């Protein structure tokens, strides 16, 4: 911790009358315009909200039992697990009992396995059918065999992991000359008849990305907008329009959906983007699928970092991860941290500024600084060397680290959900306002080192882990 900069100042936000919405034009302007830095994405400090200090709430327990990120939360939004009685994995027993009807009993998910080891086809009138592996099914009940969901030899997405899965599905996607930037960056860029557009999509799933007992509907709405606006920011762009896909349990109060939408719209107002449509469907839990489009005169990609470049960040790191850790342990303070988990504050002006300044690479920090800089290192084929003494550790992160017995710097290095930006600039480029150098790019194996060594631990959030 020695030498690590501690920020007592919280992120700042522009002064804005509550509920006031810009009625036209972009709230964010391009660098070089009349209002290059409106301070969007920053808000007043919150120095009194410390766990051990003058916090008026104190370290109150949110729940008696601390919950982890993937703890099973039973409630209106409960998801049926593999072992649930109506889970498709358990249906074969019922189907087997229907075999004598002489119908195509195997109509469920597992009768349509397609090209990945599939069992397609009816049980015959005899009640016997053959799977692709040649194993006989008796009365429609299959023996455990390769290609079946309960067969451990089937590679699952859980085993492949989030990024392994993305690599696999990306191989299926073809290319097209109109795709100027395809999968692999924070947003894609597609040529249109009269220009080009950025497009990105991000999902938020109840109990994976937010909890309805931790966050208000408006906070979830803000977060859903922010993480998509951030991907446009991470290309050096400004978002123009978004659509909202909303999956909801039938029991969801209408007021929740309305408040969610208000929160979403007010976050969009920070950059002058407009909601232009969406979709609604029934779902087991609240599911939010957002697509954002935007503009970038000079999009900055993850590939492009060069040896000798400076590595810099804009925005706050560690606060949201620390807030999530505090909430998971049953605390609802320090406020600066738990509020950052609920609503991130991407530095919306910093992406276009970095692009205008000539950033050689750019990424937003959604999973964790080390994880996301890892994408830059691999895409650019360079080594990234961070100096921990250059990192700013917000005071609330120090408080959470001390209270939970964790190194506060680990939240800054690996905590997700902050939606700060990380970029590389040539050493000759003066860093734009709001950017802080945290390291350098060097020639070497694609990796991110901290104080000269590989990081010992998870570099950030990864689904299915
Ligand atoms: N199912 C998919 N099919 C095709 N491309 C995908 C799929 N999932 C992700 N990608 C692409 O892979 C790249 C990396 O995705 P990832 O979700 O890590 O990016 P991100 O949105 O910046 O991060 P985060 O989801 O943490 O906010 C992106 O370019 C994304 O468009
Ligand atoms: C209830 C709850 N549990 C865990 C987390 C932590 N978390 C979930 S996804 C993610 C990375 C970004 O998501 P993605 O990669 O899907 O865009 C992080 C840091 C949370 N925010 N809420
Ligand atoms: Mg991103």
């Amino acid at each position: 911790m020695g030498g690590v900069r501690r920020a007592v100042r919280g992120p700042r936000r522009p002064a804005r009358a509550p509920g006031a919405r810009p009625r036209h034009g972009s709230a964010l302007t391009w660098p070089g315009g009349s209002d290059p830095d409106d301070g969007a994405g920053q808000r007043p400090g919150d120095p009194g909200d410390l766990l051990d200090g003058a916090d008026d709430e104190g370290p109150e327990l949110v729940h008696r039992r601390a919950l982890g990120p993937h703890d099973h939360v039973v409630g209106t939004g409960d998801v049926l697990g593999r072992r649930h009685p109506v889970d498709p994995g358990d249906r074969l027993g019922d189907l087997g009992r229907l075999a004598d009807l002489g119908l195509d009993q195997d109509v469920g998910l597992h009768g349509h396995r397609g090209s990945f080891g599939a069992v397609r086809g009816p049980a015959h009138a005899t009640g016997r059918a053959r799977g692709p592996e040649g194993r006989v099914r008796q009365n429609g009940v299959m023996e455990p065999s390769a290609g079946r969901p309960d067969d451990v030899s089937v590679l699952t997405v859980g085993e492949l992991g989030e990024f392994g899965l993305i690599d696999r599905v990306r191989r299926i996607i073809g290319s097209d000359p109109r795709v100027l930037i395809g999968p692999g960056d924070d947003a894609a860029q597609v040529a249109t008849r009269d220009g080009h557009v950025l497009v990105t999509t991000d999902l938020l799933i109840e109990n994976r990305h937010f909890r309805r007992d931790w966050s208000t509907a408006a906070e979830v709405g803000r977060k859903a907008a922010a993480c998509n606006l951030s991907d446009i920011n991470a290309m050096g762009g400004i978002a123009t329009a978004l659509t909202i896909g909303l999956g909801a349990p039938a029991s969801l109060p209408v007021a929740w959906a309305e408040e969610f939408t208000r929160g979403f719209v007010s976050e969009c107002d920070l950059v002058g983007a407009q909601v232009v449509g969406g979709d609604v469907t029934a779902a087991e839990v609240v599911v939010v699928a957002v697509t954002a489009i935007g503009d970038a005169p000079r999009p900055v990609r993850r590939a492009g970092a060069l040896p000798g470049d400076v590595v810099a960040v804009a925005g706050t790191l560690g606060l949201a991860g620390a807030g999530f850790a505090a909430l998971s342990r049953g605390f609802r303070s320090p406020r600066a941290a738990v509020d950052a988990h609920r609503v991130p504050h991407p530095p919306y002006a910093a992406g276009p500024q970095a692009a205008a300044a000539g950033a050689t690479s750019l990424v937003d920090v959604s999973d964790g600084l080390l994880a996301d800089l890892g994408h830059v290192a691999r895409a650019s084929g360079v080594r990234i060397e961070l100096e921990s003494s250059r990192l700013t550790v917000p005071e609330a992160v120090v408080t959470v680290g001390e209270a939970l017995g964790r190194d506060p710097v680990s939240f800054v290095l690996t905590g997700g959900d902050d939606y700060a930006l990380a970029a590389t600039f040539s050493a000759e480029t003066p860093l734009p306002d709001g950017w802080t150098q945290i390291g350098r790019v060097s020639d070497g194996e694609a990796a991110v080192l901290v104080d000269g060594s590989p990081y010992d631990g998870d570099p950030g959030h990864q689904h299915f882990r």
Side-chain angles (χ1 to χ4, degrees):
M1 280 291 300
V4 170
R5 285 163 49 178
R6 295 182 177 199
V8 187
R9 197 163 49 85
R12 285 176 287 111
R13 199 78 161 172
R16 194 167 51 91
R21 298 192 53 200
R23 296 287 10 133
H24 55 80
S26 175
L28 204 60
T29 54
W30 291 101
S34 56
D35 180 18
D37 183 3
D38 66 354
Q42 302 183 325
R43 62 177 44 176
D46 203 2
D49 292 338
L50 304 180
L51 185 64
D52 57 349
D55 182 8
D56 49 3
E57 281 193 300
E60 290 182 50
L61 284 177
V62 175
H63 301 287
R64 296 268 166 241
R65 188 175 72 87
L67 289 163
H70 304 307
D71 272 5
H72 194 66
V73 180
V74 181
T76 48
D78 194 24
V79 192
L80 298 178
R82 265 183 77 78
R83 294 290 157 229
H84 191 280
V86 299
D87 180 76
D90 291 335
R91 281 185 189 147
L92 282 172
D94 298 335
L95 290 169
R97 285 191 292 279
L98 293 173
D100 288 343
L101 296 176
L103 302 174
D104 179 355
Q105 299 97 338
D106 202 1
V107 293
L109 177 64
H110 304 147
H112 298 259
R113 314 285 329 285
S115 56
F116 52 95
V119 180
R120 174 82 179 101
H124 299 307
T126 59
R128 296 165 67 87
R130 206 168 271 279
E133 311 80 24
R135 299 236 185 142
V136 172
R137 294 183 292 170
Q138 298 287 346
N139 292 333
V141 181
M142 293 171 61
E143 305 291 331
S145 59
R148 282 178 45 72
D150 49 358
D151 185 326
V152 289
S153 72
V154 175
L155 182 64
T156 64
V157 295
E159 288 156 356
L160 203 50
E162 178 181 357
F163 298 109
L165 177 63
I166 292 175
D167 286 346
R168 289 276 282 248
V169 299
R170 275 183 59 184
R171 285 184 223 155
I172 298 165
I173 299 169
S175 61
D176 185 289
R178 288 166 298 188
V179 179
L180 307 176
I181 299 175
D185 273 281
D186 293 289
Q189 192 191 35
V190 184
T192 62
R193 203 174 286 272
D194 50 3
H196 42 75
V197 67
L198 292 174
V199 58
T200 183
T201 193
D202 251 321
L203 280 171
L204 266 77
I205 311 286
E206 183 175 5
N207 301 331
R208 294 280 169 187
H209 295 87
F210 65 89
R211 282 178 40 164
R212 274 193 275 155
D213 55 347
W214 285 359
S215 302
T216 65
E219 287 165 344
V220 177
R222 291 197 84 111
K223 183 168 184 161
C227 61
N228 282 275
L229 298 173
S230 173
D231 276 325
I232 299 291
N233 196 25
M235 299 301 289
I238 295 178
T240 50
L242 299 92
T243 58
I244 307 174
L246 180 64
S251 58
L252 187 76
V254 171
W256 196 98
E258 289 177 333
E259 208 198 323
F260 163 89
T261 307
R262 280 188 204 100
F264 193 101
V265 166
S266 55
E267 188 71 20
C268 291
D269 286 346
L270 295 177
V271 300
Q274 184 63 37
V275 177
V276 293
D279 190 24
V280 167
T281 174
E284 304 302 322
V285 290
V286 175
V287 172
V288 183
V290 177
T291 297
I293 64 170
D295 254 335
R298 178 189 165 271
V300 188
R301 307 188 59 173
R302 293 174 177 181
L306 292 168
D309 283 355
V310 160
V311 182
V313 291
T316 310
L317 286 166
L319 268 180
F324 172 62
L327 285 162
S328 299
R329 294 281 293 268
F331 294 101
R332 61 178 181 208
S333 64
R335 286 293 297 275
V338 296
D339 284 353
H341 159 82
R342 292 172 173 138
V343 182
H345 303 296
Y348 290 123
Q353 279 169 351
T360 51
S361 74
L362 187 57
V363 71
D364 69 336
V365 183
S366 52
D367 292 331
L369 180 65
L370 297 183
D372 289 308
L373 279 177
H375 297 310
V376 172
R378 280 186 293 280
S380 304
V382 296
R383 184 159 65 196
I384 289 179
E385 304 195 43
L386 304 184
E387 290 173 62
S388 64
S389 61
R390 290 180 174 271
L391 297 171
T392 298
V393 183
E395 201 58 52
V397 173
V398 175
T399 304
V400 173
E402 284 168 357
L404 303 185
R406 274 189 57 177
D407 176 7
V409 180
S410 72
F411 290 117
V412 176
L413 290 171
T414 69
D417 272 347
D418 281 306
Y419 299 94
L421 291 180
T424 53
F425 297 88
S426 88
E428 293 75 46
T429 304
L431 290 184
D433 278 356
W435 286 87
T436 307
Q437 183 180 351
I438 59 165
R440 284 210 168 261
V441 179
S442 65
D443 212 354
E445 194 196 352
V448 185
L449 305 183
V450 182
D451 301 328
S453 303
Y455 187 73
D456 184 19
D458 284 339
H461 182 274
Q462 212 186 116
H463 290 291
F464 310 116
R465 205 170 40 205

